[in-house]
Amino acid sequence: MAAPLLLVTNDDGVRSEGIRALADGLEGLGRVVVIAPDREQSATSHSITLDRPVRVNHLSEGWLSVEGTPTDCVLLAANSLLGEKPALVVSGINHGPNLGDDVTYSGTVAAAMEGHLLDIPSIAVSLSTGSSPLHFATAARFARRIAAKLLDEGSPNGALLNVNIPNLAEEAIRGIRITRLGKRLYVDSVIEKTDPRGKPYFWIGGSPSWESGKNTDHAAVLEGFVSVTPLHLDLTDYKAVVEMENWTL
Ligand code: MN
């Protein structure tokens, strides 16, 4: 049997350190093809390019850059560039965590969501950065382990996997935990200042804080564990559907 085709993409851009580490880490597990945005596309969420043509550039053997979003990359790869559906989509390794509610902003997770929507087992991998040195190679070894498992077993209940890895040396990582998304608390997340012309401006960011919760992705990474959260995209609130059956609209 031919080696499985592994599509690697990200949102930090094709030249980022994380995607190189990921492609290296997956080598030998299958045929690795990298198709990623030509520039940083972090926090672009699940956006898709519809209003202009999308150009693709061949950089080297198995490496292509796309003038578009992470979602564009997966869509083009699966429907055209690869000539076949990949066995796996692996997105990352993102420079910075994608935890809890932040998955809705993440381009890294969105690429895996696109794979998931195309019925391809998909993984998003993020390194919880913050201090030097950055342990991308260690993160890549965990990504490989999880990717190998997914190739063997298929997606658990069809879920996509959101993986966050603490920025630690391999021997300092305490294990892997299956988690749920944590809840982010939006405190001081907008900074208001005045520009040199006296006009106010706003900067969205600030430092996040998190609700402490059992089995959350945030808690796992904080305690030195690799966090693996299975996600699905049926956003329907089924309890609300039941509750609303009594509404008279
Ligand atoms: Mn990013």
Side-chain angles (χ1 to χ4, degrees):
M1 212 176 78
L5 181 58
L6 312 181
L7 172 63
V8 170
T9 190
N10 75 346
D11 76 355
D12 292 339
V14 73
R15 286 174 183 82
S16 68
E17 188 183 351
I19 200 167
R20 169 66 64 182
L22 181 58
D24 288 350
L26 294 174
E27 203 164 318
L29 202 59
R31 291 172 290 143
V32 175
V33 178
V34 177
I35 302 179
D38 65 340
R39 66 199 73 182
E40 164 114 34
Q41 296 281 341
S42 293
T44 54
S45 185
H46 200 194
S47 56
I48 185 170
T49 304
L50 298 175
D51 58 351
R52 58 176 178 82
V54 178
R55 310 259 178 213
V56 177
N57 296 296
H58 289 254
L59 302 177
S60 59
E61 179 68 32
W63 284 74
L64 289 81
S65 75
V66 173
E67 295 176 12
T69 65
T71 298
D72 293 337
C73 291
V74 176
L75 201 70
L76 290 186
N79 289 307
S80 174
L81 297 171
L82 293 174
E84 63 182 282
K85 223 159 109 165
L88 206 64
V89 172
V90 190
S91 176
I93 298 168
N94 191 59
H95 186 281
N98 279 300
L99 298 162
D101 300 322
D102 286 348
V103 300
T104 60
Y105 307 112
S106 168
T108 305
V109 179
M113 285 178 178
E114 189 61 24
H116 172 76
L117 290 174
L118 294 167
D119 285 325
I120 304 163
S122 297
I123 313 171
V125 187
S126 304
L127 180 64
S128 185
T129 51
S131 54
S132 304
L134 298 178
H135 295 280
F136 278 115
T138 296
R141 279 192 285 279
F142 282 98
R144 183 194 177 95
R145 253 162 79 180
I146 295 161
K149 190 74 179 169
L150 211 50
L151 282 174
D152 279 353
E153 307 269 342
S155 290
N157 195 37
L160 71 97
L161 303 182
N162 186 42
V163 178
N164 281 276
I165 298 157
N167 187 38
L168 298 170
E170 192 159 4
E171 59 275 13
I173 292 181
R174 296 170 66 195
I176 299 180
R177 264 193 203 160
I178 311 302
T179 57
R180 63 181 176 88
L181 294 179
K183 188 103 197 93
R184 192 182 165 164
L185 303 171
Y186 292 85
V187 187
D188 298 329
S189 56
V190 175
I191 292 161
E192 184 178 352
K193 292 204 168 179
T194 307
D195 75 13
R197 291 176 189 82
K199 283 189 172 177
Y201 69 88
F202 299 88
W203 204 302
I204 299 171
S207 49
S209 60
W210 295 85
E211 219 170 67
S212 56
K214 232 177 147 42
N215 303 324
T216 65
D217 50 1
H218 177 256
V221 169
L222 196 68
E223 290 165 29
F225 289 87
V226 173
S227 162
V228 181
T229 313
L231 302 178
H232 65 74
L233 281 183
D234 181 351
L235 299 178
T236 313
D237 186 332
Y238 289 96
K239 283 183 188 160
V241 169
V242 172
E243 194 177 318
M244 291 170 76
E245 277 165 5
N246 302 321
W247 286 27
T248 39
L249 287 173

